[in-house]
Amino acid sequence: GLDNAKIISKDGEIYKSSLELSGRGLENGGWSQTIIPSAYYDNGKKLKLKADGVLVNANKKVELKIDDKYPKKIDYFGRKVIIKDVKYSNGHLTIKYTTDSSIAYDGGCELNGNSAISTSYEAGSKISGIEFENVEKKDSYALDLRLVLKYRYPINIEIENK
């Protein structure tokens, strides 16, 4: 996807997307993007597409151990994720973690292939929390945070309004 994407008319009008745009890979190695026309776009033949960078889904399984000492730093594709706390109680496993600003958002966590039942975010502390239910107590678990990473790669291209 594109981070902070906007389309600019030849007259300088800015049409900012409320959703991030995502492209589709082509067989020849290029990419394709369809932008749905609307009454908000002028009828000019040329528009500009600008974005601060790109967003990339990053799936990486990390091993979690209940008995480890926390907080614990984890390398997540060169980014820092800090597991603040891991708690197991009566079939529920709760994990709290923080990330830096190069991580856009969570893409839906999994633990040993099962999706989280709830997520939370503590705004003042920037701590994310995820909870899993019906978890069998084990020494370790495979956690996939499925984070979406931001790469600063400014985009400023002219596109044709067809």
Side-chain angles (χ1 to χ4, degrees):
L2 299 176
D3 181 33
N4 194 24
K6 51 190 153 284
I7 297 171
I8 303 171
S9 76
K10 71 176 189 171
D11 297 328
E13 294 175 83
I14 297 174
Y15 310 107
K16 184 164 175 28
S17 172
S18 60
L19 298 173
E20 303 302 338
L21 297 173
S22 60
R24 178 174 60 101
L26 301 175
E27 288 181 19
N28 67 2
W31 64 279
S32 170
Q33 174 66 53
T34 301
I35 299 166
I36 307 300
S38 76
Y40 298 108
Y41 298 115
D42 67 18
N43 292 325
K45 286 288 183 193
K46 301 288 181 185
L47 298 170
K48 283 198 176 208
L49 173 63
K50 288 189 172 193
D52 292 342
V54 295
L55 301 172
V56 177
N57 290 329
N59 298 342
K60 179 179 182 178
K61 289 184 180 166
V62 295
E63 184 181 25
L64 270 188
K65 294 183 179 181
I66 292 177
D67 295 335
D68 267 353
K69 292 189 179 210
Y70 295 100
K72 181 179 183 178
K73 291 180 187 176
I74 302 223
D75 181 322
Y76 202 88
F77 296 100
R79 306 308 205 284
K80 182 173 60 172
V81 173
I82 299 173
I83 306 292
K84 301 293 266 179
D85 193 26
V86 176
K87 287 188 180 175
Y88 180 88
S89 176
N90 298 325
H92 285 261
L93 185 71
T94 305
I95 303 157
K96 292 190 176 188
Y97 67 95
T98 61
T99 62
D100 64 25
S101 63
S102 68
I103 297 177
Y105 52 88
D106 301 343
C109 306
E110 284 190 356
L111 183 77
N112 293 347
N114 296 316
S115 298
I117 62 163
S118 69
T119 59
S120 62
Y121 182 73
E122 298 171 17
S125 64
K126 297 185 179 180
I127 295 175
S128 295
I130 47 179
E131 183 179 351
F132 298 89
E133 69 176 348
N134 300 323
V135 177
E136 182 183 326
K137 189 167 185 178
K138 297 180 180 181
D139 292 335
S140 68
Y141 301 93
L143 175 67
D144 188 347
L145 290 172
R146 294 191 171 186
L147 299 175
V148 177
L149 306 180
K150 282 187 202 180
Y151 288 92
R152 181 142 177 77
Y153 184 80
I155 297 170
N156 184 6
I157 59 173
E158 195 169 271
I159 57 176
E160 201 172 321
N161 188 10
K162 295 182 180 182

